[in-house]
Amino acid sequence: MELPNKELGDLFDQLGLSSTPEDIEAFFASHSLPPDIKLIDAPFWTPAQARFLKEEMREDAEWAPVVDQLNVRLHEE
């Protein structure tokens, strides 16, 4: 059985954030990370959000591709 592909809006829902396209773009407009800060160490995550992101990346779980996408977007200059 093939699992459905997750999208960025799904990840925002999972993290308890608003997932409308406008709110996602507003999030990226107001949040960014310098190259030396890891995604999971961002100061704007709650402990539960950071734990979820870390677990998904570490285990290369079903959310990993979209977590990677989030990471890239937050590290864009």
Side-chain angles (χ1 to χ4, degrees):
M1 182 172 115
E2 191 169 312
L3 295 174
N5 290 335
K6 303 291 186 188
E7 296 183 8
L8 200 52
D10 300 321
L11 179 59
F12 272 64
D13 283 337
Q14 184 69 23
L15 293 170
L17 302 172
S18 177
S19 61
T20 67
E22 298 81 16
D23 287 342
I24 290 172
E25 288 309 311
F27 178 87
F28 288 120
S30 63
H31 295 81
S32 64
L33 294 172
D36 62 329
I37 301 293
K38 293 180 182 180
L39 173 67
I40 59 172
D41 294 331
F44 44 81
W45 302 129
T46 66
Q49 290 169 326
R51 190 170 40 255
F52 171 78
L53 293 168
K54 182 178 182 177
E55 289 171 4
E56 292 302 307
M57 288 173 36
R58 181 183 60 222
E59 297 185 15
D60 200 22
E62 68 177 304
W63 289 100
V66 74
V67 171
D68 285 339
Q69 182 182 357
L70 174 67
N71 187 42
V72 168
R73 290 282 309 266
L74 287 171
H75 282 100
E76 287 178 346
E77 291 188 25

